Amino acid sequence: MDRVGYSVQRRRRTGMIAVMSALGMTAVLGGCGLTGGSGDVTLRLVAADYGDTAANSSEKYWAKLVDAYEADHPGVRVEVSVYSWNDVDREVKEMVDAGKAPDMAQIGAYADYAADDLLYTADALLSIPVQAGFSSALATAGQVNGVQYGMPFAASTRLLFYNKKLFQEAGLTPPTTWAELAAAAEALRAQGVKYPYALPLGSEEAQAETMQWLLSGGGGYTDTVGTYTIDSAENVQTFTWLRDELVGRQLTGPVAPGKLDRADAFAAFARGEVGMLNGHPSLMRTAGQHGVDFGMVPMPGVDGESEATMGVADWMLAFKQNGHQDEVGDFLDFVYSEENVLDFSRRYDLLPVTNSASDAMSAAAEDRDLKPFLDELALAELYPVGKTSWAAVSAEVKQRIGSAVAPGGSPASILGQLQSTATTAESAAAG
């Protein structure tokens, strides 16, 4: 059956499809023992928690969404299990390994499951307007060999945050080049700022800070055709500059970059101890709650504003095991409505993954704080998440990259080791 025929047939069954929530007060939204009539279907969704307190847990978002869907569609139940980001990917893997895959999972990666032929393709699930409505860059990042398996669910970009009070006291304006960034860091250090530039290359999220710097130096993890180029001349030059011009001149603070995690760097910024650092939208709320007057500008590059910035996306995927293709597709069409995408993005200071929601956010006064990040999304490059090798490469970056900028460290050697890891992982994936 062709795509249009499939879409029409599924749409004619929409009236029979519905969701009932089994929402509870625990981390698992839904209970045991749910039974229905002979025509009922129960869908299971595992989702990540974007909240930082019980009051703004993702449980509340899914509860509202499922209730709204349930009101018009009797016949299908949805059980939603919400886990922390520390646990959610592992939980899904354990379910899949045990032969009990959920119908849907909203997690951080999809490529391994796609490679094992466990997932529905996006066009087997979504109506044509919904699939076509994804941001093109995000839709492309969800593809393996040109076929979309990962449906983007949330996105963010990075900007350079700076402490306006500290900059004013040092007589500074926001930097647009690496040389200006280093000079500003030098002036901040002279003013006694604890972290003139916070460089978190610790194991928590070193792959993000690394990618931001690689892009600003004209390089990246891969080239334009997706081949790993971690040890390229541009990347070696970038980390040599970081070692010599920031770390070596003691402009990155008292904690060695390889020991500094992103969460700790953000907390230090909120305490007013950091002059500059790369941050995503959630830092706005944290800094604002602590009374920090901050500004945000695009990441500086070698000779001017960086031509590319880093984007991050989280993914929705649908497993074939339980065979609920039509019901999952209809529910996901609802999930990706403009209203629901905007609701989620505004709750958690994230960027919409659909064009219609992005247009609405760009035009809304209430979203003006997020607009600078949204403007960066068009230029953003994402991790090579369509590669099954990326998980192994990312893990190695987290463990090794900090030593590249340590005193006596060799960027060429460390990046060469990471390139070797990537090449080996790619070969294993191909085999």
Side-chain angles (χ1 to χ4, degrees):
M1 183 182 301
D2 64 29
R3 175 68 191 117
V4 174
Y6 169 78
S7 178
V8 171
Q9 182 175 356
R10 179 160 69 80
R11 283 305 184 191
R12 287 172 180 165
R13 289 198 292 267
T14 299
M16 297 186 295
I17 296 173
V19 176
M20 292 181 63
S21 65
L23 303 175
M25 298 303 292
T26 64
V28 178
L29 305 183
C32 301
L34 285 178
T35 59
S38 59
D40 287 353
V41 169
T42 298
L43 301 178
R44 291 183 299 142
L45 166 64
V46 176
D49 193 353
Y50 289 82
D52 53 12
T53 66
N56 69 348
S57 168
S58 293
E59 295 177 16
K60 296 182 181 297
Y61 171 78
W62 288 110
K64 177 184 175 183
L65 184 145
V66 170
D67 282 346
Y69 192 70
E70 169 187 21
D72 291 330
H73 302 79
V76 176
R77 303 170 185 260
V78 169
E79 298 177 3
V80 185
S81 304
V82 175
Y83 296 94
S84 75
W85 272 109
N86 293 330
D87 301 323
V88 67
D89 289 282
R90 185 189 71 251
E91 291 285 346
V92 172
K93 184 178 186 303
E94 291 176 353
M95 292 175 189
V96 174
D97 290 346
K100 299 179 180 179
D103 294 282
M104 296 163 282
Q106 185 270 297
I107 53 178
Y110 64 87
D112 287 346
Y113 299 123
D116 291 338
D117 195 29
L118 299 178
L119 302 179
Y120 286 115
T121 61
D123 65 356
L125 297 168
L126 302 174
S127 64
I128 292 173
V130 170
Q131 187 181 8
F134 287 129
S135 161
S136 60
L138 298 177
T140 299
Q143 296 178 356
V144 175
N145 297 324
V147 179
Q148 186 179 358
Y149 295 90
M151 292 162 278
F153 184 76
S156 69
T157 55
R158 300 293 194 270
L159 291 170
L160 183 73
F161 282 67
Y162 65 97
N163 184 309
K164 287 186 174 181
K165 178 175 180 290
L166 298 179
F167 263 59
Q168 183 178 11
E169 290 173 350
L172 298 171
T173 57
T176 59
T177 67
W178 285 2
E180 290 176 2
L181 186 148
E186 188 75 59
L188 291 165
R189 185 175 69 117
Q191 292 288 110
V193 175
K194 189 173 182 178
Y195 294 89
Y197 178 86
L199 183 66
L201 296 177
S203 60
E204 179 195 3
E205 205 183 34
Q207 82 283 2
E209 184 75 10
T210 296
M211 184 171 176
Q212 186 68 61
W213 278 99
L214 295 182
L215 291 173
S216 72
Y221 286 122
T222 62
D223 61 17
T224 55
V225 296
T227 302
Y228 282 112
T229 54
I230 299 174
D231 62 348
S232 69
E234 293 87 353
N235 292 346
V236 171
Q237 290 169 4
T238 294
F239 268 79
T240 300
W241 187 89
L242 285 172
R243 181 196 63 188
D244 296 344
E245 301 301 323
L246 286 187
V247 182
R249 292 167 59 188
Q250 299 181 346
L251 301 179
T252 54
V255 179
K259 301 293 184 181
L260 182 64
D261 284 339
R262 176 198 57 80
D264 294 332
F266 279 19
F269 188 82
R271 293 193 299 268
E273 298 173 352
V274 175
M276 300 172 282
L277 83 171
N278 284 317
H280 52 63
S282 71
L283 183 56
M284 294 190 299
R285 179 177 299 182
T286 303
Q289 289 172 342
H290 287 79
V292 175
D293 186 13
F294 62 89
M296 303 177 298
V297 294
M299 177 68 180
V302 179
D303 299 316
E305 182 181 312
S306 177
E307 295 183 1
T309 189
M310 186 189 73
V312 176
D314 302 324
W315 304 96
M316 178 72 76
L317 43 152
F319 290 92
K320 296 190 291 186
Q321 178 180 326
N322 300 314
H324 297 145
Q325 180 177 347
D326 286 351
E327 293 83 0
V328 168
D330 192 84
F331 179 66
L332 290 180
D333 273 1
F334 182 73
V335 167
Y336 285 108
S337 69
E338 180 180 316
E339 177 185 358
N340 288 328
V341 172
L342 279 172
D343 182 18
F344 179 83
S345 301
R346 286 167 172 161
R347 281 176 186 244
Y348 300 109
D349 292 326
L350 292 167
L351 304 182
V353 297
T354 64
N355 294 320
S356 64
S358 294
D359 290 343
M361 181 172 280
S362 293
E366 67 180 290
D367 300 313
R368 61 183 179 274
D369 289 343
L370 282 171
K371 193 174 187 305
F373 295 94
L374 194 60
D375 291 343
E376 290 288 294
L377 191 58
L379 303 174
E381 294 189 22
L382 281 74
Y383 300 131
V385 290
K387 292 177 172 289
T388 57
S389 57
W390 171 242
V393 174
S394 177
E396 281 295 295
V397 171
K398 292 178 182 180
Q399 293 301 314
R400 292 177 179 268
I401 197 64
S403 61
V405 298
S410 172
S413 176
I414 295 300
L415 293 174
Q417 293 170 26
L418 292 171
Q419 178 67 31
S420 178
T421 295
T423 301
T424 300
E426 280 284 85
S427 298

